[in-house]
């Protein structure tokens, strides 16, 4: 694990402007699957049956950006017996513990609009939304074509300030936070590349892969909107990893999550 720098003063003094981005990781739930065949894997190809659901906060020169917003807020509470999903503490409460409110967030970008990535999206309706044009059309105009979309979780974003994307996008104009178009899982799926001064380059996977085995075996879930396009996006992102030497985080990897320091610690 590369060097980790822990935030010391955030609880009492809030955020201060500085040149380089900081990344905060939050636990925004868990998913359990007794059968993983829907992910394009046979049950004997991976022993993993539980997925982590993250949320992320990026701070850049005093501006804040949310990347992915976890499970729906109505799932927060004690884990129920035999539950397929659970969520201990909402992202709203976790941010509040750092003196951050949803209205403090300047930008939101979601890897895609499946329910486990936009669970708190409506809470950030005052932020500027960065979304691929194709994802906007799928999520807001034809959500019924994808049963993993739950429009009630993000319907307030329709009237939000937004920047419609048609490919890769430099969020802050300095190359430190790059949205990388990687369609196929959904029509406008995207991943996030960060240039962190001490940690180094880092790519957050979205749902390009769900399991380490998905990456190793190049498997695509049966519910992807375009399997061939997914494979092309895998090739694009893997080439970027190779070119930049970036660390690659599979967002849903519980094994990875258990090795990370969660907020208010941060990576920079």
């Amino acid at each position: 694990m590369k060097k980790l720098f822990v935030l010391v003063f955030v609880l009492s003094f809030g955020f201060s402007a500085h040149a380089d981005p900081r990344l905060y990781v939050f636990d925004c739930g868990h998913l359990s699957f007794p059968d993983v065949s829907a992910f394009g894997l046979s049950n004997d190809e991976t022993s993993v049956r539980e997925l982590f659901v993250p949320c992320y906060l990026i701070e850049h020169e005093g501006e804040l950006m949310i990347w992915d917003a976890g499970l729906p807020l109505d799932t927060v509470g004690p884990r129920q017996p035999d539950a397929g999903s659970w969520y201990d503490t909402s992202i709203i409460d976790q941010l509040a513990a750092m003196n951050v409110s949803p209205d403090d967030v300047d930008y939101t970008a979601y890897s895609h609009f499946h329910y486990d990535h936009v669970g708190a999206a409506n809470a950030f309706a005052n932020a500027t939304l960065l979304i691929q044009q194709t994802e906007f059309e799928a999520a807001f105009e034809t959500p019924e074509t994808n049963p993993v979309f739950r429009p009630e979780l993000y319907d307030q974003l329709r009237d939000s300030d937004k920047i419609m994307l048609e490919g890769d996008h430099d969020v802050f104009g300095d190359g430190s936070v790059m949205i990388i178009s990687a369609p196929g899982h959904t029509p406008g799926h995207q991943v996030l590349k960060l240039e962190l001064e001490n940690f180094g380059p880092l790519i957050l996977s979205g749902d390009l892969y769900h399991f380490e085995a998905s990456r190793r075996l190049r498997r695509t879930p049966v519910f992807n909107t375009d399997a061939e396009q997914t494979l092309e996006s895998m090739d694009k992102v893997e080439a970027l990893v190779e070119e930049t030497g970036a660390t690659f985080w599979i967002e849903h990897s519980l094994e990875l999550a258990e090795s990370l320091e969660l907020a208010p610690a941060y990576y920079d």
Side-chain angles (χ1 to χ4, degrees):
M1 182 55 62
K2 296 184 180 180
K3 192 171 183 181
L4 170 70
F5 285 76
V6 179
L7 182 65
V8 176
F9 298 113
V10 68
L11 294 179
S12 56
F13 295 103
F15 292 93
S16 59
H18 51 82
D20 299 299
R22 291 174 172 176
L23 175 69
Y24 302 81
V25 185
F26 300 86
D27 180 344
C28 288
H30 295 252
L31 297 167
S32 174
F33 298 94
D35 182 346
V36 298
S37 57
F39 294 93
L41 297 166
S42 66
N43 287 318
D44 61 0
E45 287 178 318
T46 180
S47 61
V48 176
R49 297 293 182 270
E50 182 179 330
L51 299 182
F52 180 67
V53 180
C55 301
Y56 303 92
L57 179 72
I58 296 100
E59 181 199 1
H60 180 279
E61 295 186 346
E63 291 190 294
L64 300 177
M65 171 180 156
I66 287 286
W67 172 262
D68 284 348
L71 288 177
L73 297 178
D74 62 9
T75 64
V76 175
R79 182 181 180 183
Q80 301 301 311
D82 302 319
S85 64
W86 59 98
Y87 189 179
D88 293 330
T89 305
S90 79
I91 181 59
I92 307 303
D93 288 342
Q94 292 181 69
L95 289 172
M98 296 169 56
N99 291 334
V100 177
S101 78
D103 287 343
D104 295 327
V105 174
D106 300 284
Y107 298 97
T108 57
Y110 306 99
S111 59
H112 61 298
F113 271 61
H114 283 171
Y115 78 95
D116 56 320
H117 292 258
V118 295
N122 278 336
F124 303 103
N126 289 335
T128 297
L129 173 65
L130 307 174
I131 184 172
Q132 301 291 331
Q133 178 72 44
T134 50
E135 192 75 359
F136 181 86
E137 293 169 357
F140 290 93
E141 297 178 8
T142 60
E144 67 281 354
T145 64
N146 192 327
V148 193
F149 288 164
R150 286 179 49 185
E152 72 276 10
L153 298 175
Y154 56 78
D155 55 5
Q156 295 178 36
L157 304 188
R158 178 180 287 276
D159 297 324
S160 293
D161 290 340
K162 58 184 66 67
I163 299 174
M164 294 290 195
L165 308 181
E166 295 185 359
D168 301 348
H169 178 70
D170 187 343
V171 177
F172 298 106
D174 61 2
S176 65
V177 181
M178 294 287 302
I179 291 173
I180 307 298
S181 175
H185 183 60
T186 63
H189 179 269
Q190 49 195 17
V191 306
L192 192 70
K193 178 179 175 290
L194 302 165
E195 288 290 341
L196 302 174
E197 182 176 12
N198 293 295
F199 187 87
L202 171 65
I203 295 176
L204 305 180
S205 71
D207 276 6
L208 189 64
Y209 310 104
H210 293 78
F211 301 82
E212 294 290 347
S214 306
R215 187 184 188 192
R216 185 177 70 253
L217 300 171
R218 283 175 57 84
R219 300 291 177 77
T220 65
V222 299
F223 51 89
N224 277 24
T225 56
D226 190 321
E228 187 60 35
Q229 195 175 48
T230 304
L231 294 174
E232 292 172 0
S233 291
M234 289 178 180
D235 290 340
K236 173 183 176 178
V237 173
E238 294 293 353
L240 184 62
V241 171
E242 180 69 21
E243 174 188 344
T244 62
T247 299
F248 185 81
W249 285 359
I250 295 179
E251 291 190 19
H252 278 305
S253 171
L254 180 61
E255 182 179 10
L256 169 68
E258 290 175 340
S259 74
L260 300 179
E261 295 288 339
L262 300 183
Y266 62 78
Y267 294 85
D268 71 356

